[in-house]
């Protein structure tokens, strides 16, 4: 079918929402873009004049494409080198989607995206569509070809899995910067005690290098272990500079709504460290260093002025 300009415009009006849904479902910005593009091809091939509610039709097609992708992604992640973490989205990235409610902000946090990996594809889809985009169960049931009662039951199970994680504390941009500043000051102090005081007793540190950047295959567990690792990570060394191509400039920002440390070398983002903050302290440090998952962050970083770095590492 040949699309009219009006048909194309209708799709483009839905693109930001579709990308935000796909990112939450897949945890990958590049895969989300591919899923949305495939949805456009399906739209192009459809008899759009007879589609009564384009938004619902597009969402159903996209969701089912993502469900298929999640099934194959699970198999790929079984052979993934080291820990797998989502692709981080820096502050201002339109793919973050709506952030008006607590549920919407929570659904795109790095902590929740990591927890969503525990869910089945259907559980993940119901959770995202309901919690982040407020679709009624009736519409979700139609998209997934299940009953409305089944959708409600699936959401109940999914929320229970996600609630098993720690209760995340919401903080504004200024508070997020203070958290990062305190974290960096402690991590570069040369001592473990200041950092231990910022961490929860059962804090964890997880890194994703994708087999391209050295990263521990198992998480560091416990405040002392995490603090020792961070002290070593921020300790200067020629090997570290050689690995990333120079001495990184380190900035404070937010990623996926969480306080984040961003390391940049010659305009290229080489690492994003997301801090999960709870009432008891920093409960998790999740570091993305896989260059394949930092291309979008680099592009976003180049599009804005970030002022002077907090420090130059290594």
């Amino acid at each position: 079918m040949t699309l009219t300009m009006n048909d194309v415009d209708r799709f483009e009006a839905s693109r930001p929402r579709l990308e935000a849904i796909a990112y939450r479902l897949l945890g990958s910005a590049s895969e989300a873009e591919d899923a949305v593009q495939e949805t456009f091809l399906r739209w192009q091939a459809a008899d759009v004049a007879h589609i009564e509610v384009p938004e619902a039709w597009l969402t159903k097609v996209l969701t089912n494409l993502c469900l298929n992708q999640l099934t194959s992604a699970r198999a790929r992640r079984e052979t993934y080198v080291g820990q797998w973490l989502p692709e981080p989205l820096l502050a201002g990235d339109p793919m973050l989607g709506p952030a008006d409610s607590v549920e919407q902000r929570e659904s795109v946090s790095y902590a929740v995206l990591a927890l969503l990996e525990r869910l089945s594809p259907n559980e993940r889809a119901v959770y995202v569509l309901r919690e982040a985009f407020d679709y009624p169960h009736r519409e979700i049931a139609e998209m997934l070809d299940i009953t409305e009662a089944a959708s409600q039951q699936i959401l109940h199970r999914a929320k229970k899995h996600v609630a098993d994680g720690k209760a995340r504390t919401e903080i504004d941009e200024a508070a997020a910067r203070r958290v990062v500043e305190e974290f960096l000051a402690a991590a570069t102090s040369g001592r473990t005690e200041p950092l231990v005081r910022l961490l929860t007793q059962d804090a964890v540190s997880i890194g994703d290098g994708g087999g391209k950047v050295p990263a521990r295959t198992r998480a560091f567990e416990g405040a002392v272990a995490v603090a020792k690792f961070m002290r070593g990570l921020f300790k200067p060394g020629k090997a570290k500079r050689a690995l990333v191509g120079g001495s990184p400039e380190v900035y404070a920002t937010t990623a996926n709504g969480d306080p984040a440390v961003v390391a940049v070398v010659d305009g290229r983002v080489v690492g994003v460290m997301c801090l999960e903050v709870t009432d008891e302290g920093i409960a998790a440090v999740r570091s993305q260093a896989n260059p394949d998952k930092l291309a979008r962050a680099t592009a976003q970083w180049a599009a804005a002025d970030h002022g002077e770095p907090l420090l130059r590492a290594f």
Side-chain angles (χ1 to χ4, degrees), residues 80-84 206-207 214-220:
Y80 191 82
V81 178
Q83 299 279 341
W84 184 94
I206 304 169
R216 182 180 165 94
T217 57
R218 296 181 62 184
F220 288 93

Side-chain angles (χ1 to χ4, degrees), residues 114-161:
L115 286 170
L116 290 182
E117 287 297 302
R118 303 178 183 178
L119 306 184
S120 70
N122 261 15
E123 287 174 337
R124 189 162 183 163
V126 172
Y127 182 89
V128 167
L129 292 170
R130 180 62 185 160
E131 293 294 291
F133 295 90
D134 203 29
Y135 280 96
H137 283 289
R138 175 182 52 78
E139 292 184 23
I140 296 172
E142 291 174 359
M143 291 179 200
L144 302 180
D145 294 323
I146 58 178
T147 66
E148 189 171 344
S151 177
Q152 293 169 338
Q153 291 169 357
I154 289 171
L155 178 65
H156 178 74
R157 289 200 305 269
K159 290 176 73 172
K160 186 176 184 302
H161 284 303

Side-chain angles (χ1 to χ4, degrees), residues 187 191-193 195-196 199 220 222-235:
R191 298 180 296 123
T192 59
E193 293 82 3
L195 196 50
V196 168
L199 300 167
F220 288 93
V224 174
V226 172
K228 287 181 177 179
F229 169 66
M230 289 297 156
R231 184 186 65 184
L233 181 66
F234 284 94
K235 187 176 181 180

Side-chain angles (χ1 to χ4, degrees), residues 201-304:
Q201 187 175 359
D202 57 350
V204 297
S205 174
I206 304 169
D208 180 347
K212 301 185 177 184
V213 174
R216 182 180 165 94
T217 57
R218 296 181 62 184
F220 288 93
E221 298 181 354
V224 174
V226 172
K228 287 181 177 179
F229 169 66
M230 289 297 156
R231 184 186 65 184
L233 181 66
F234 284 94
K235 187 176 181 180
K238 291 182 179 179
K240 295 173 188 175
R241 290 193 292 273
L243 180 66
V244 298
S247 182
E249 296 179 332
V250 179
Y251 296 82
T253 186
T254 60
N256 295 75
D258 294 322
V261 179
V262 176
V264 181
V265 175
D266 296 330
R268 176 173 53 92
V269 175
V270 296
V272 177
M273 185 179 288
C274 292
L275 308 179
E276 181 184 345
V277 180
T278 70
D279 289 341
E280 291 77 35
I282 298 172
V285 181
R286 297 182 177 89
S287 305
Q288 184 55 262
N290 183 346
D292 294 342
K293 298 182 181 182
L294 294 173
R296 186 180 179 93
T298 294
Q300 288 291 317
W301 190 260

